[in-house]
Structure formats: structure tokens, C-alpha cells
Amino acid sequence: MPETIALHPAAPWVELKSTEADWAAADPALLKELLAQMALIRAFEEKVLELAGEGLVHGPAHSSIGQEGGAAGSIVGLRPTDQVNGSHRGHHQFLAKALAYVAPGLDPTAPLSDDTHALLHRSLAEILGLEPGFGHGRGGSMHLRWGEAGAIGTNAIVGGGVPLAAGAAFAHKRAGTGDVAISYFGDGAVNIGAVLETMNLAAAWDLPLLFFIENNGYAVATTVEEATRETRLSGRGTGFGIPSWKVDGMDPLAVHLATQEALKIMRAGKGPAVIEADVYRYFHQNGALPGSAFGYRTKEEEASWRARDPIKRTGAALVARGVLKQDDLDALTERAQAAMADAAAQIVETVGNKRRVMPGMWPDVSFVDEGIRGDLSELSGKRAEEEATYRGRLAERKFVDAIADVLHRRFETDERFVIMGEDIHKLKGGTNGATRGLAAAFPDRCLGTPISEGAFAGLAGGIAMDRRYRPIIEFMYPDFMWVAADPVFNQIGKARHMFGADVPVPLVLRTKIAMGTGYGSQHSLDPAGVFATSPGWRIVAPSTPFDYVGLMNAALTCEDPVLVIEHVDLYQTSGAIPDGDLDYIIPFGKAKVVRPGAELTILTYSAMVHRSREAVEELGLDAEIIDLRSLDRAGLDWDTIGESIRKTNNVLIVEQGSLSTSYGGFLADEIQRRYLDWLDQPVQRVTGKIASPTISKVLERAAFAGKEEVIAGLAVTMAAKGTPLPGMPGAAL
């Protein structure tokens, strides 16, 4: 018989229950603040449901009524500089953190301050999508953010906010403030990969992050028992060595006591914690009907939870201790309801027998695209250089070494930079040597990550939004963006605009095109066409070492997220860079004419600049080659492109990757819209085939575009214009 040895979790996992002695010993000021916060949150949510019932809330109204104990219990007592974020059902956490900021020590018997009234008004306005809201109405119910108060954003993507909170926790740890971050999410999110990846990363890096699980028993209508075998969801923490607590979320004092224990661990630098609070939403996922109206809960179940109401429990305890009277409780409810009536009266008006939003409350429609990205004022005053006009001494340098050089220079001159990715701290600079020397020189800022792009990309997004540090991340292959699609596109790419245009996201994502390396369909993508569909991202694709240095410096200065595309074909090529000068920029939106010509305009980027030049010179064609360099819509240099088109009247777009994810499709469309009268024929394109490259060497080569495909494209383009190239058939692409 084999010997078996019982194993035990590496971290404690306990259930915490408050006792009557705890209630008797609790500071009356604490209990009063808990009560006052919960009463205001309840009145707020009741008003939201009332307005939603009248059709005045555009979109969902995810009420937190019944769950106030978990929010107030965990937030009362936090520092103003601690931060919280939450899920789509996050009004209560947002309000609890904001109330603790504007009215610390909130007294249930005192009149509400002007700041408290203003908070309720702005929060309600945001939920209704109105201009006075914190995000000018853009965020609405599910994207509430007030950074000044430490409320760093609720999130419509289930589990989507958790990696961002890890970024805030990373910044707290690095700054040595002792502050913490709390991320609130529900029982549905606890099974999401991003949450579990972030638990692992936070534990590995000892981040001061509290994973607060609001277990209300239902993900919409699906029960916890249907979704998972281990229904004690705090058990997830033990799998990552995270101390974990399970508490009754209808008992705000128990939540508070568990949170205080977790805070001691986190503030002491001992890493993250998990709290699972059993709570209950009194209503359906959205709106003012109970779950029983939809058949997935019973009225008896709902009544049993309502009998444990956290507000009634706290009020009764204060009355029993003689701290408050029943009249005080009644007056508190009336005061909270009156405050919400006043907040609504500033927003809605009665016309006939119906209420409507006051017309002056809506945002100006001209604001619709404002703030998708910044204005690049941060680049003003920076020294710009071009290789052709550089007056200093130039030296030959490999492309990959120029990457390492400029990163090292920026790390030397600015302690805010951190870089993270898989194996970047080993193998003498990662898999290609691009981070050579960084780990040795800056071991606490060059961070090898677990294989979890979703977690570390989201964490970097949170660091960027915190703004104390500036993250650089590396995706070893661009296809991994699909693994991290939510943080990359839904979070990082949308944050500035979604939260009202005032949330910079200074982040650089480095990745490489690896066609021709035999890594197949899941490692060979050119990501430019995909990222170009996300307007919050800037995209650069340098083709020379000189340009790489300048564009990377611009990217590292920029207050927007920037994708920097590298190509494996370029890594071992050499080119000139300034000798001892790595501090210049190449501004975004400046294309480069690498070869002048009069018969054809070739628009291309990255390694295809060189393939295009080889093809043109082999054919002896008088073509103008333009290296776009900046590829996002906002970064296209229409002055240079337009000047060339008006000269040649003929355009060929050259890219290497698959037609299916092509960058050139939107570019061709835009050129034809802008320059139709100057074109002698439709814009022509060279791309790879429809499918991604596969493993077979011959099939891989057939799938992507190279010099031969460019030559064929040139022949077709010139033949279609009526000036066929000698000896070329001009066959279709």
C-alpha cells in the first residue's frame, strides 16, 4: 500500500463570526458611521430603481440593495489613500469609499454636509448619463470612478477590474506607502481566468490587494452550486497561498473585523488576502423586481434574507446599547430619502404627468469623441531628430541592441519605468535579447511574470492609471493579445474615453512579428490591423534602429497606451544610431519618405519597407516608398501621404500579414475617400493570404508576403495604370 501524507494549505482559511460581545465592545462611532453609510446607500439605490422604473435610467440599474453591509463594513476605516474598484454592481462600494472621503465619521443624527449632497447628485447624474456626473455621463452605472476619493472604477466586464486593482496595489507597494487596494467582485467572477491569474500574480509578488468576493448566491439566475463544486469561494485563496476569511456579509461588524485582520497582513507587506462575504441582492440582476418574479428564487428564501437586513441589525444594536433611539433611526431614513429627492430634483423635471431629464443636463453631443486619446502636449519641447538630418556622429548598431540601449537609457534617467513579461529577466534579455542588461542593472524594475498575459497586462493598465509609475509590457508573440483581449482592448484601450477623458494611460506594449520563423498560426500575426480598430491605442512600427530609438522615446513619454511593433527579421540587421545620444524623439504622425519617386506611391511599414525597396530597385521602377511609422488612425501623416499621391496618382499598400487581419483595408478605404480625384485607379494592395501562416516551411512562405509578392504587386499596379513593366505579365495578385 502506498503511504499517504495529509497536505494542508500554505495559508490560513477561517470563517469569522461576530459575537454579542463584539457588538457590545465595538466603538459607537464605528457603528454609527456604518449605519449612516448604509442608510444613504440604500436611499440612493431606491431612488435609482424609482427613476429606472420611469424609464429615466438608460441601460441597466444593477441595484446593491441588501449588500450594503459588505461595502460599508470593509470600507469604513480605510485610509483616504487606499483604493477600491468593483464590478457592474458597484454603486455601494463607490458610494462607501466616496462618503468616507467627503464625510469621514458620518454621523447618523447630523445634517448632511454640502459635500455629501454634491456627491449624491454627481453619482446619480453619472448613472443617468448626464454631464454633472463624474465621467460626464460616459461611464454610467457600471463605470463609476472618482480617483480623488480612491474609487478607481467599477467595471462592466465580470472580473475585469481585478487585474487593474492589482496594478494599483503594485504602485502602493513600490511607493512604500502602506496603502492597499480592494477589488470587489461576485461569485460569478470567481471562476474567471483573469481573477485566478491575478490571485496567483498578487501572491507571487506580495501585492497588498484584498480580493473581496460578494457571494450573493447567483450569477444572474445561475446558482453557485450549479457553477462550482467548492461553493465556499474563499477556498480559491488557499490554492495560491493567500490568507482567506469567510464572513456573513449581512453582518457589517463581522465584515469590518475580517477586513481589519486582512489589512494588518497587507500593510505589513505580507501580500494579498481574500474575504468572501455571503450577501444577498434583494432584487433581480437588473431592475426593481425580485428574483422570485423570474422563477429562480423562492419568496421564502427572499424573506429569510430580508429578515437579516444589515441596516436593521446595526440600528437595533445601537438602540439596544442606548447610543441611538428609534426616532433617530426613523429620522436618518427620512433624511437620506430627502437628500436623494433633492439630488433627483436637480436632474429631472415634471412635464405633464411624467418626469423627464432636464434637457440642460445632457452632455453636449460634440463631446462624443472627445478624449479618446490625449493631445500629445507631453511631447512638446522634446528634441526631435531624423536620421537624414542628424548632425552628430552616427554608429552602426544592431536593431535588437538599439532596443536594449534605449530601454536602459530610459531606466537610468527615470525611476518610474518598470518592465514586465515572460522571461524578459533571463536568457540574456528575453527570447531575443531586447531587454539585455536590464535585470542586472534594475532587478526590482525588470520583472519576469508568470505565463498570464491577462493578469500582467491588466496589472500594467492599473499601474498606468495610477500614474506614479510607467509600465512597459512585452507579449512574446502578438497573438497573445487574444489571451489578454479584455485588459488590452476593453480596459486599457477604452479607459481614458470611458471615464470622461481625464484618465491618462501611459503604457507601452512591445511585441514582435515572427513570420518565417516556423512558429505557425498562433505565433505569426501582424497585430497592426487588429489594434487599429481600437481607437485608444497608438501604434508605431519602426523599420530602422534610429527610428526605433526615437519612436520608443516618444512612446515612453506619451500619456496614451502605445503598441510598439518589432519584427524578428529586423533584430539582427544593423543601422546607424547616434553615438552616445539616446534622448531624441521621433514625433507620432510623421511618416518618412525612404525613396523618392514619381510613378507610384508605396505605403508600408516595418520589415516590408526593406522588402519594398529591394523589389523597386530590382525592377528599376520610379516609385516613392513611404515608411508610415505611425499606424493608428490618429497618427497617419496625411500631409506626406497626400503630397505623394497628388504627384504619382497611383498607390500600392504593402504589408506582410494575412488578408484577414489586414491593416491596409481601412487605409485603402480612407485614401480613396480623401484622394479619389487624384487616383488613376483604385488603391492596390499586397498582403499575405487569407489564412495565417502554418508550420510547413513551404506553406508558411506561401501564406505571407515577401519581396516576390511585392514584385508581383508592382507589376499588377503598373499594368492596371496602363504602363506595364517590361518583361512582367501583370498577373492578378
Side-chain angles (χ1 to χ4, degrees):
M1 292 289 290
E3 180 184 3
T4 60
I5 301 170
L7 300 176
H8 303 281
W13 178 29
V14 299
E15 183 170 3
L16 185 151
K17 294 184 177 182
S18 69
T19 65
E20 291 303 319
D22 293 321
W23 281 91
D27 184 346
L30 168 66
L31 297 182
K32 288 196 293 182
E33 185 173 4
L34 289 171
L35 176 66
Q37 277 212 5
M38 291 189 293
L40 277 175
I41 294 168
R42 177 72 57 90
F44 183 94
E45 292 287 65
E46 288 171 344
K47 182 58 68 175
V48 170
L49 289 181
E50 176 190 315
L51 296 173
E54 297 176 36
L56 298 176
V57 177
H58 183 60
H62 297 115
S63 167
S64 65
I65 293 176
Q67 301 186 186
E68 302 92 345
S74 57
I75 287 173
V76 168
L78 291 183
R79 301 173 180 175
T81 47
D82 292 328
Q83 295 174 313
V84 305
N85 76 358
S87 68
H88 58 284
R89 190 183 313 284
H91 303 168
H92 51 326
Q93 295 128 12
F94 174 83
L95 286 170
K97 190 66 171 75
L99 284 167
Y101 180 70
V102 301
L106 190 63
D107 187 340
T109 63
L112 299 177
S113 67
D114 290 345
D115 286 343
T116 301
H117 281 287
L119 165 65
L120 298 174
H121 167 63
R122 291 187 70 189
S123 301
L124 188 62
E126 185 60 39
I127 288 171
L128 269 65
L130 307 179
E131 172 59 34
F134 287 96
H136 306 282
R138 280 188 181 160
S141 173
M142 296 187 288
H143 308 105
L144 293 165
R145 176 185 168 96
W146 188 20
E148 179 184 321
I152 57 175
T154 55
N155 209 288
I157 303 301
V158 174
V162 179
L164 301 175
F170 178 96
H172 292 322
K173 179 182 178 183
R174 180 152 190 84
T177 61
D179 293 334
V180 306
I182 304 179
S183 190
Y184 296 87
F185 52 96
D187 47 274
V190 83
N191 299 314
I192 292 221
V195 173
L196 300 174
E197 284 185 20
T198 305
M199 283 186 176
N200 178 66
L201 188 55
W205 289 2
D206 290 328
L207 302 182
L209 175 60
L210 174 57
F211 298 88
F212 195 102
I213 306 167
E214 287 188 308
N215 186 352
N216 64 32
Y218 297 87
V220 186
T222 300
T223 66
V224 172
E225 290 77 12
E226 292 176 276
T228 185
R229 173 180 283 189
E230 176 51 273
T231 58
R232 300 168 300 171
L233 303 181
S234 46
R236 301 293 194 275
T238 63
F240 300 104
I242 302 175
S244 304
W245 287 261
K246 182 175 176 63
V247 297
D248 177 4
M250 310 302 277
D251 179 346
L253 181 59
V255 174
H256 179 77
L257 294 173
T259 304
Q260 295 307 302
E261 291 189 10
L263 288 171
K264 290 177 185 176
I265 289 173
M266 294 186 290
R267 295 203 200 280
K270 296 180 180 178
V274 169
I275 291 179
E276 174 193 5
D278 291 326
V279 294
Y280 201 74
R281 52 174 166 84
Y282 290 174
F283 297 96
H284 178 54
Q285 163 77 354
N286 173 33
L289 293 174
S292 56
F294 298 87
Y296 64 87
R297 300 197 305 207
T298 66
K299 292 182 179 180
E300 292 75 17
E301 176 187 307
E302 290 169 346
S304 69
W305 280 92
R306 282 180 176 268
R308 299 168 52 203
D309 188 273
I311 298 176
K312 292 179 180 177
R313 180 170 190 172
T314 306
L318 285 165
V319 170
R321 288 180 58 179
V323 177
L324 296 178
K325 298 178 181 179
Q326 184 60 46
D327 289 348
D328 296 322
L329 304 185
D330 296 339
L332 171 62
T333 300
E334 292 172 3
R335 192 180 305 113
Q337 291 173 345
M340 288 313 305
D342 178 65
Q346 300 175 59
I347 292 172
V348 300
E349 62 185 5
T350 301
V351 178
N353 62 353
K354 295 181 66 175
R355 289 197 293 182
R356 69 173 187 181
V357 171
M358 295 176 183
M361 291 289 105
W362 296 109
D364 191 312
V365 295
S366 65
F367 188 59
V368 63
D369 282 341
E370 192 72 25
I372 292 173
R373 60 192 73 81
D375 61 6
L376 295 181
S377 57
E378 62 272 23
L379 296 182
S380 62
K382 299 292 183 181
R383 175 171 56 92
E385 299 284 1
E386 292 286 352
E387 183 176 353
T389 56
Y390 185 75
R391 296 190 176 187
R393 182 172 174 238
L394 295 171
E396 285 290 301
R397 194 75 168 143
K398 282 186 178 179
F399 194 104
V400 72
D401 291 334
I403 298 173
D405 292 346
V406 69
L407 290 175
H408 197 282
R409 174 62 177 163
R410 295 283 68 80
F411 271 61
E412 279 184 330
T413 56
D414 193 333
E415 293 185 351
R416 294 177 300 167
F417 286 115
V418 294
I419 188 167
M420 59 190 72
E422 294 148 4
D423 283 326
I424 64 165
H425 60 318
K426 295 191 174 180
L427 305 176
K428 297 182 180 179
T431 54
N432 294 101
T435 53
R436 169 190 44 77
L438 287 181
F442 313 101
D444 61 330
R445 293 196 279 150
C446 182
L447 307 173
T449 66
I451 299 176
S452 53
E453 283 83 6
F456 73 74
L459 181 144
I463 295 172
M465 285 181 242
D466 180 87
R467 300 194 68 193
R468 283 176 286 182
Y469 303 100
R470 302 180 73 95
I472 307 165
I473 53 177
E474 177 186 297
F475 283 179
M476 192 180 292
Y477 292 96
D479 308 69
F480 298 170
M481 69 179 176
W482 299 122
V483 179
D486 178 57
V488 168
F489 299 113
N490 260 335
Q491 311 296 342
I492 295 167
K494 293 179 179 177
R496 181 193 281 268
H497 183 262
M498 181 173 69
F499 288 124
D502 63 348
V503 184
V505 189
L507 176 150
V508 170
L509 167 56
R510 294 179 45 248
T511 195
K512 65 192 179 193
I513 300 170
M515 292 179 198
T517 60
Y519 273 75
S521 293
Q522 295 175 337
H523 288 70
S524 304
L525 180 74
D526 176 350
V530 177
F531 272 83
T533 66
S534 181
W537 280 89
R538 297 186 185 272
I539 311 167
V540 296
S543 65
T544 69
F546 190 103
D547 285 1
Y548 189 96
V549 172
L551 289 169
M552 177 55 84
N553 280 332
L556 293 175
T557 306
C558 184
E559 294 291 321
D560 297 321
V562 182
L563 173 70
V564 179
I565 302 174
E566 302 160 11
H567 200 299
V568 294
D569 284 359
L570 297 177
Y571 279 147
Q572 298 306 314
T573 64
S574 293
I577 67 170
D579 189 4
D581 176 10
L582 296 171
D583 297 329
Y584 62 93
I585 69 164
I586 291 175
F588 298 135
K590 295 290 290 182
K592 179 174 66 173
V593 177
V594 298
R595 184 186 189 280
E599 293 187 80
L600 172 65
T601 297
I602 298 174
L603 303 177
T604 188
Y605 59 91
S606 190
M608 295 307 282
V609 172
H610 306 285
R611 302 293 87 79
S612 297
R613 189 164 196 158
E614 291 167 2
V616 165
E617 292 178 353
E618 183 172 317
L619 294 174
L621 180 63
D622 186 19
E624 183 152 289
I625 301 174
I626 297 177
D627 182 353
L628 294 170
R629 299 197 295 195
S630 291
L631 303 182
D632 55 277
R633 288 176 184 265
L636 284 166
D637 183 355
W638 290 112
D639 291 340
T640 299
I641 294 170
E643 181 181 352
S644 182
I645 292 173
R646 285 188 286 269
K647 176 173 58 176
T648 67
N649 313 119
N650 202 13
V651 179
L652 176 66
I653 298 171
V654 174
E655 57 185 317
Q656 186 173 46
S658 167
L659 178 64
S660 305
T661 53
S662 167
Y663 171 78
F666 101 82
L667 181 59
D669 174 73
E670 188 64 25
I671 288 170
Q672 285 167 171
R673 291 176 186 276
R674 289 174 181 251
Y675 303 108
L676 181 62
D677 291 345
W678 295 92
L679 293 173
D680 289 343
Q681 63 167 317
V683 174
Q684 300 284 357
R685 293 166 59 196
V686 170
T687 72
K689 298 299 190 292
I690 295 173
S692 300
T694 50
I695 292 295
S696 168
K697 188 172 184 178
V698 295
L699 293 178
E700 178 187 41
R701 178 59 191 88
F704 64 79
K707 184 182 76 171
E708 293 79 6
E709 286 74 18
V710 177
I711 288 174
L714 292 170
V716 168
T717 303
M718 298 308 295
K721 187 181 178 181
T723 53
L725 299 175
M728 299 295 294
L733 291 177

